[in-house]
Amino acid sequence: MENSTLGTASGRGAAPDLVTVPTRQGLEAVDIIRRAAVSAAGVGPVLHDGSGDTLGFLVPPGTADAWDLPGSACTQTNGRGMRFGEPPAGSSPSTGWLLPPEAGDPVTDPEVLRAALGEAARLIEAADNCR
């Protein structure tokens, strides 16, 4: 796939927003969404940071305006340096795609992501309480 800039320059409309979550919760959410994808929207592109602390899910533009899930953050990217096939400009050299854009849906549905992150948090809490 070509390295086209996300957003209006690529003809894809407005640039996606980015939901960031702790890696453990994000990986659980990816699994939850993939298992449910037979009947629901699938998971879109997912970035991992160089330190391994967070995952970032691309979500539709405008999601940041109403995102309020504790333990996560949603920011507008405005397409700043984001390109398919490579991590965002200014990111660590070890930052990259966990799920590259061409391997998933264009973005993750915010309601599907919210539900999966909630379920992931409950699973993690239950597992941690079993120790």
Side-chain angles (χ1 to χ4, degrees):
M1 176 175 230
E2 76 178 49
N3 279 347
S4 59
T5 301
L6 293 176
T8 54
S10 67
R12 297 178 185 273
D17 290 349
L18 183 72
V19 172
T20 53
V21 298
T23 297
R24 186 175 176 200
Q25 185 180 14
L27 290 172
E28 288 287 343
V30 167
D31 287 342
I32 291 164
I33 295 169
R34 283 186 152 178
R35 284 194 307 264
V38 181
S39 60
V43 66
V46 179
L47 280 166
H48 64 83
D49 70 357
S51 67
D53 293 336
T54 62
L55 291 183
F57 293 80
L58 293 183
V59 293
T63 300
D65 296 338
W67 190 264
D68 62 351
L69 187 67
S72 68
C74 187
T75 56
Q76 296 175 339
T77 67
N78 296 323
R80 290 184 300 259
M82 294 192 73
R83 297 181 179 276
F84 282 111
E86 60 187 64
S91 60
S92 164
S94 55
T95 297
W97 294 107
L98 175 69
L99 295 175
E102 61 272 3
D105 290 334
V107 293
T108 300
D109 180 286
E111 292 306 313
V112 170
L113 180 58
R114 182 183 299 278
L117 290 171
E119 183 177 342
R122 291 187 294 277
L123 289 171
I124 290 168
E125 182 179 6
D128 288 351
N129 287 335
C130 289
R131 293 181 186 179

